[in-house]
Amino acid sequence: GAVVSQHPSRVICKSGTSVKIECRSLDFQATTMFWYRQFPKQSLMLMATSNEGSKATYEQGVEKDKFLINHASLTLSTLTVTSAHPEDSSFYICSARGGGSYEQFFGPGTRLTVL
Amino acid sequence: AQSVTQLDSQVPVFEEAPVELRCNYSSSVSVYLFWYVQYPNQGLQLLLKYLSGSTLVKGINGFEAEFNKSQTSFHLRKPSVHISDTAEYFCAVSDRGGGSNYKLTFGKGTLLTVNP
């Protein structure tokens, strides 16, 4: 099956710093990648959708200047949380979809803790 | 716009008992339907999906679900659960047209707790 990895799995940072999370499709070309945020005991909230080589499309209420998404290749997307604050602490999950396919494959998630 | 309602936030059951996790959806377009499972601190794993054809779909780990168009439901069932089935279960829909990049809309999740 299709495999999606995320790195790092956990990150702890100080308030005000920026954190980059990588999402990679290991055995397929991901034309579209999605970034989700999940608060404890809650559902996944879609933050943004990115197509390779294009600017990401952000969902309503998501600050695009705070959550920078880059999808520079068919196997890699990155999410950078800029000037992180404690309220940005959350579980971030990416997923990837290949061209022409409806199915998304999910990464294992990244636990961000901002002190 | 689409929405998904999972009627039960928590479902406790005893081991080897049957279980049904309920899911209803609303959409103005035709949809694909999915059930995912999430274990603590992990990503989502696809249990099963309905695309077309037979309304009864079988997935991994002995789970099955039935699509009911008239009731706009896609309930998940398992005839006999194990302790290892304890997890969070999410129902999700995406539109068939692909115009939205097949974005998924998730329900709020149901925590299934299997007790010995």
Side-chain angles (χ1 to χ4, degrees):
Chain A
V3 180
V4 175
S5 70
Q6 278 183 245
H7 178 80
S9 58
R10 289 177 177 270
V11 57
I12 301 172
C13 69
K14 292 183 179 179
S15 184
T17 61
S18 294
V19 175
K20 181 184 284 188
I21 302 170
E22 292 185 349
C23 177
R24 293 181 185 272
S25 58
L26 299 185
D27 51 2
F28 68 102
Q29 294 187 324
T31 52
T32 305
M33 285 185 166
F34 304 86
W35 285 96
Y36 297 87
R37 183 173 181 177
Q38 186 179 31
F39 290 105
K41 302 188 186 302
Q42 294 190 27
S43 188
L44 281 73
M45 181 192 80
L46 180 65
M47 299 173 67
T49 303
S50 73
N51 291 301
E52 185 264 339
S54 302
K55 287 186 178 179
T57 301
Y58 290 81
E59 296 297 303
Q60 194 171 8
V62 177
E63 299 175 60
K64 61 181 180 182
D65 293 331
K66 181 167 188 61
F67 298 100
L68 301 178
I69 292 172
N70 183 282
H71 190 169
S73 79
L74 285 171
T75 58
L76 173 64
S77 176
T78 59
L79 167 67
T80 302
V81 183
T82 61
S83 186
H85 292 286
E87 57 266 30
D88 299 323
S89 298
S90 191
F91 195 52
Y92 292 88
I93 302 176
C94 73
S95 71
R97 181 181 72 82
S101 172
Y102 61 87
E103 189 167 355
Q104 294 181 32
F105 298 94
F106 287 82
T110 296
R111 174 74 59 192
L112 170 64
T113 303
V114 185
L115 302 176
Chain B
Q2 298 153 351
S3 67
V4 178
T5 302
Q6 290 183 242
L7 295 161
D8 306 297
S9 60
Q10 297 186 55
V11 173
V13 295
F14 288 110
E15 194 173 17
E16 297 183 4
V19 71
E20 178 180 81
L21 306 184
R22 297 179 292 171
C23 172
N24 287 89
Y25 70 93
S26 172
S27 177
S28 57
V29 298
S30 296
V31 296
Y32 294 137
L33 294 153
F34 306 84
W35 274 100
Y36 290 90
V37 61
Q38 185 181 33
Y39 299 100
N41 295 309
Q42 294 187 29
L44 271 65
Q45 180 182 8
L46 180 66
L47 274 179
L48 47 77
K49 60 196 175 206
Y50 174 77
L51 308 179
S52 64
S54 173
T55 57
L56 182 64
V57 292
K58 295 187 183 296
I60 62 171
N61 300 341
F63 284 93
E64 63 182 32
E66 185 151 22
F67 169 57
N68 186 317
K69 188 175 182 180
S70 63
Q71 296 186 4
T72 60
S73 67
F74 190 53
H75 301 331
L76 181 70
R77 301 186 185 102
K78 186 169 182 178
S80 176
V81 294
H82 303 291
I83 299 283
S84 59
D85 292 322
T86 295
E88 190 84 30
Y89 291 80
F90 293 98
C91 180
V93 302
S94 72
D95 76 69
R96 289 173 173 267
S100 65
N101 279 308
Y102 298 106
K103 280 198 306 186
L104 287 169
T105 300
F106 286 91
K108 292 189 174 182
T110 298
L111 176 62
L112 174 64
T113 304
V114 181
N115 298 300

